[in-house]
Amino acid sequence: MHEQSATGPHHTTTTERGSFALARCTCGWTGPARRSRDRARADADAHLTTADTAETRASQP
Ligand SMILES: [Zn+2]
């Protein structure tokens, strides 16, 4: 997988636990347990977006 380098410090994966799926990130963030993997992926996407925004904001004075 070569997509890892493009995502910076945040690399999300989805894990399945029983009938639930949840998103995880290399930064330590974990999304809520979802009934569908699509939902978990959406959580991961949202995390990447918010994390990116937060970092951009934090780096600005
Ligand atoms: Zn993250």
Side-chain angles (χ1 to χ4, degrees):
M1 287 194 206
H2 53 270
E3 58 187 303
Q4 195 164 354
S5 53
T7 52
H10 296 278
H11 178 68
T12 55
T13 51
T14 51
T15 316
E16 283 176 47
R17 220 174 260 182
S19 53
F20 291 96
L22 53 94
R24 286 181 136 184
C25 184
T26 49
C27 75
W29 172 88
T30 308
R34 301 291 195 182
R35 294 242 179 173
S36 85
R37 218 184 301 166
D38 279 351
R39 276 288 191 177
R41 278 214 191 111
D43 285 334
D45 265 7
H47 167 68
L48 288 178
T49 304
T50 50
D52 203 33
T53 306
E55 265 173 28
T56 306
R57 275 187 180 174
S59 64
Q60 282 175 357

